[in-house]
Structure formats: C-alpha cells, structure tokens
Amino acid sequence: MDAPRYIALLAEACEIAGQAEEALTLFDDALQTVEQTGERWLAAELNRHKGQLLRRQGHAEAAEKLYRKALRIAEQQEAKLWELRAAVSLARLRRDQGRRAEARDLLAPVYGWFTQGFDTPDLKDAKALLGKL
C-alpha cells in the first residue's frame, strides 16, 4: 500500500546521487502505481516532486503543468499541506519568470488559510517567499 511513497523516496535518492533520468522514471512509476491502485493520497506531492526535478533540468513549462496538477489534486482532496507546497513551488516559478504579482496572488490565500503551525518549515518557507513578493 505504501509503494508510491517508497518509490518516491528512491527517486529522491537517485536525484541526490545525480541520476536524474532514473529519478524521473521512478516518479513516473510511482504515479502509475497511484493510478492503478487508486491510492491517491500522495498524488499531489508526487506531481510536485516530479515538477521540481524537471524545473532543475530547465523544463519550466513541464514543471508548471505538474505544479498546477498538484495544486488541483490537493484542492480536490482538501490536503492543505500538499496545496501549500504546490502553491509555493508554482509561486517560486512565477517569481523567477518575473510574474511576482501572480505568485503573490496564488500563494497568499493558501497561506492565509492556516491558523496555526507557523513555526513549521513549510509555513516559514511560504511566509518568507510572500515577504519577497
């Protein structure tokens, strides 16, 4: 049941080891497993991670599509942490493309939903990014 999570961890290890193509293949495998099993709780985060890898390889357009998909999935699942992470990733991309207002407009409402946990790394990261936008 946790196969997608373990495959994703292996993909992250491959990326750290400089094996980006193997990491992409593993993220695809994890996403395929999610579709086959219907075990979708990690789908948003898998899409976001794959997007990050593609972005680091210079594929901003493909990364943006995956970030948007991750955001949609997280919203549908009402998975606020995954939604925040996807929004931060997409906001960073937009910031780097000179689309700061869009980035802020995307991230601010997601960040604003939270009422506690502001000392967690994810919310600290989102707040810092908002401060730069």
Side-chain angles (χ1 to χ4, degrees):
M1 281 191 233
D2 287 336
R5 182 168 55 111
Y6 294 121
I7 295 169
L9 289 171
L10 183 57
E12 291 173 35
C14 286
E15 183 182 3
I16 290 168
Q19 300 170 344
E21 291 307 314
E22 179 67 19
L24 281 173
T25 299
L26 287 164
F27 279 124
D28 286 338
D29 290 348
L31 287 164
Q32 184 177 6
T33 301
V34 163
E35 290 302 316
Q36 289 172 347
T37 63
E39 187 181 328
R40 299 189 46 82
W41 69 273
L42 195 58
E45 190 68 350
L46 290 171
N47 279 286
R48 187 185 72 83
H49 273 291
K50 184 178 176 186
Q52 287 183 304
L53 178 56
L54 288 170
R55 181 167 180 221
R56 283 191 284 274
Q57 292 181 320
H59 304 290
E61 188 175 318
E64 183 168 352
K65 286 179 184 177
L66 288 165
Y67 294 156
R68 287 178 179 274
K69 184 175 183 179
L71 196 54
R72 274 193 315 274
I73 292 168
E75 287 169 348
Q76 290 168 353
Q77 294 178 339
E78 298 181 10
K80 290 299 185 180
L81 176 59
W82 296 156
E83 186 178 346
L84 179 69
R85 288 181 178 180
V88 165
S89 294
L90 185 53
R92 272 202 185 100
L93 177 63
R94 287 181 176 170
R95 176 202 62 194
D96 294 348
Q97 294 171 331
R99 299 160 61 187
R100 293 171 103 60
E102 283 182 56
R104 185 182 52 256
D105 291 347
L106 168 77
L107 183 55
V110 178
Y111 179 80
W113 180 88
F114 290 88
T115 59
Q116 59 186 5
F118 293 105
D119 58 341
T120 62
D122 288 301
L123 285 170
K124 284 181 180 179
D125 188 30
K127 182 179 180 179
L129 179 56
L130 278 170
K132 294 177 185 176
L133 298 173

